[in-house]
Amino acid sequence: MDNPQYKGVEGCKWRFYLITYDYSDKILRDIRQKDKPAGLLDDQDEYEVWVKSWAEIFDAAEKKLLFFQRQLNYEATDARVTLHLRESYSRFIPEGLAEGQGSDETLAG
């Protein structure tokens, strides 16, 4: 960490990750301290050192994926897109098209 290439860049903080399959007891105590985020081994002005296991990385990725899947559980059908365009941008759509086919279609689909 004393390498000059990592020092002196204003507004820049390096983040290093050490990835492992398992922790020693010593490292586990160091990265599970009260009032510190889990995994943070060292926090200095110019850098942070994080220690994570592959299981933690995959678990976090899976949780993010599930969150986005739930939030984005939306199917953009032609009827939904058409309705959204008509409701949001009707002032830009010529009168003949703004009230054209499909305005009474249901959104189930």
Side-chain angles (χ1 to χ4, degrees):
M1 300 303 155
D2 294 329
N3 191 320
Q5 70 181 344
Y6 300 123
K7 292 186 175 198
V9 181
E10 193 169 324
C12 178
K13 186 170 186 172
W14 292 89
R15 187 173 291 160
F16 299 97
Y17 287 90
L18 303 172
I19 312 297
T20 184
Y21 286 102
D22 200 10
Y23 304 115
S24 70
D25 291 338
K26 163 85 171 87
I27 291 293
L28 195 55
R29 281 192 304 273
D30 290 344
I31 63 172
R32 300 284 191 261
Q33 293 183 31
K34 185 178 179 180
D35 300 325
K36 279 177 54 176
L40 183 60
L41 179 67
D42 192 9
D43 188 6
Q44 302 298 322
D45 290 336
E46 289 104 9
Y47 66 88
E48 297 174 342
V49 177
W50 293 81
V51 179
K52 298 281 185 176
S53 71
W54 283 111
E56 290 170 323
I57 290 171
F58 289 133
D59 184 57
E62 183 178 29
K63 286 178 182 174
K64 287 179 187 177
L65 175 64
L66 291 172
F67 171 79
F68 284 112
Q69 283 177 332
R70 287 186 193 116
Q71 298 303 312
L72 298 174
N73 189 15
Y74 176 81
E75 189 177 329
T77 62
D78 287 345
R80 285 182 175 165
V81 171
T82 302
L83 181 61
H84 170 73
L85 291 174
R86 286 188 180 132
E87 288 175 349
S88 302
Y89 304 102
S90 61
R91 65 186 179 276
F92 300 113
I93 301 173
E95 283 186 37
L97 294 176
E99 298 172 9
Q101 288 182 326
S103 61
D104 294 331
E105 293 180 35
T106 64
L107 295 180

